[in-house]
Amino acid sequence: MTHLCRLLLLLPALCPMLAMAARPMITDDARVVDPNSCQLESWAKHNRDSTEYWALPGCSPRENLELTLGGAVTRQDGESQNSDLMLQAKLLFKQLETNSYGYGLVVGHAQHPRLDNNSSMIGNTYAYIPVSASFFSDKLILHTNFGALHDKENNRTDMTWGLGSEIPLANKLDLIAETYGDHRSRPYYQAGLRYWLVPERVQIDTTYGNRMYNNSDERWLSIGLRLLSAPLW
């Protein structure tokens, strides 16, 4: 998978970052974790020829700001390789509220140390604007992202976008669906379910995704766990 494709798959939405839209969505939302609180988003993503294991801890040091630092290890051919590192900051200018909208700004950097020969100079810097809107008393929530990703290795900048949705199906169960990509290639899509085991504290999810108009070569399955804390300080 190219550097660009890998980066598109980790723009969390960033995920996640959901009480919030979060895992497993790539299209980010205009929400952050509660002030002085933290979360851990973790998941396994099974591709055709490899499996990725992700962990993204994040905290909110003050209202409307969320900082995330984490990464992944990929297992391929029975070996662990291609570790990913990501640092991201999300600032909200307006929080999403019921029957209203919210928006913010996200900036981040990601790199693949082993793929990049452990060079700190090689990686990808990105920024995007997440906009979320609530309809019908939260019966439908839509998210849009518009931004750019600078690929330092290839010295080029790609325009990125995402469109996602959350639809409550039952108590504590949501349906999520999204499509996302860049201006150079065919987009990806993803759909799945998200369930609160413990409301506002423990969440699980599962999704299926692929590139549009593609065969099974790039499809994936994921299963994730999200933990949210009470205020810690």
Side-chain angles (χ1 to χ4, degrees), residues 44-233:
K45 179 173 174 283
H46 180 67
N47 309 298
R48 181 180 180 183
D49 299 316
S50 64
T51 301
E52 303 168 25
Y53 300 95
W54 285 86
L56 293 179
C59 293
S60 178
R62 68 174 182 83
E63 189 172 3
N64 294 332
L65 176 65
E66 183 177 278
L67 304 177
T68 300
L69 174 64
V73 172
T74 299
R75 290 191 61 83
Q76 190 169 15
D77 299 326
E79 297 182 359
S80 297
Q81 55 185 341
N82 300 349
S83 295
D84 296 88
L85 298 174
M86 189 190 81
L87 172 64
Q88 177 178 285
K90 175 158 63 168
L91 176 65
L92 295 186
F93 304 118
K94 184 181 187 305
Q95 289 232 25
L96 174 63
E97 298 177 349
T98 300
N99 294 323
S100 184
Y101 68 95
Y103 64 96
L105 175 66
V106 176
V107 295
H109 178 80
Q111 66 183 67
H112 319 288
R114 297 188 185 179
L115 290 176
D116 296 334
N117 298 318
N118 292 308
S119 171
S120 61
M121 299 301 294
I122 301 298
N124 300 271
T125 301
Y126 60 90
Y128 59 90
I129 297 174
V131 180
S132 300
S134 166
F135 302 92
F136 315 115
S137 299
D138 290 342
K139 295 298 188 295
L140 171 65
I141 300 177
L142 297 179
H143 310 291
T144 60
N145 292 177
F146 298 99
L149 181 150
H150 180 66
D151 184 340
K152 292 184 179 179
E153 184 177 25
N154 296 310
N155 192 28
R156 75 180 193 188
T157 299
D158 298 297
M159 307 308 295
T160 61
W161 60 271
L163 175 62
S165 63
E166 301 175 51
I167 302 174
L169 297 180
N171 186 31
K172 300 187 290 185
L173 179 67
D174 292 337
L175 169 68
I176 68 100
E178 65 178 337
T179 180
Y180 56 93
D182 64 79
H183 76 288
R184 298 181 189 272
S185 57
R186 285 179 287 116
Y188 295 89
Y189 67 88
Q190 180 175 224
L193 298 172
R194 192 170 58 213
Y195 181 75
W196 286 103
L197 287 175
V198 179
E200 308 304 322
R201 289 290 179 262
V202 182
Q203 189 181 77
I204 58 173
D205 61 74
T206 184
T207 63
Y208 168 84
N210 201 347
R211 190 190 290 267
M212 286 188 176
Y213 316 114
N214 194 27
N215 55 26
S216 62
D217 289 348
E218 295 181 83
R219 67 182 177 182
W220 70 85
L221 294 172
S222 77
I223 183 168
L225 172 67
R226 181 173 179 241
L227 306 175
L228 295 116
S229 76
L232 299 175
W233 62 89

Side-chain angles (χ1 to χ4, degrees), residues 4-46:
L4 176 60
C5 291
R6 296 181 68 86
L7 255 289
L8 286 171
L9 291 177
L10 66 80
L11 289 180
L14 341 234
C15 334
M17 291 186 161
L18 306 168
M20 278 79 82
R23 262 290 307 163
M25 296 182 71
I26 304 303
T27 306
D28 209 347
D29 60 351
R31 306 178 193 143
V32 295
V33 295
D34 293 336
N36 305 324
S37 299
C38 294
Q39 69 172 355
L40 172 63
E41 294 184 303
S42 61
W43 67 94
K45 179 173 174 283
H46 180 67

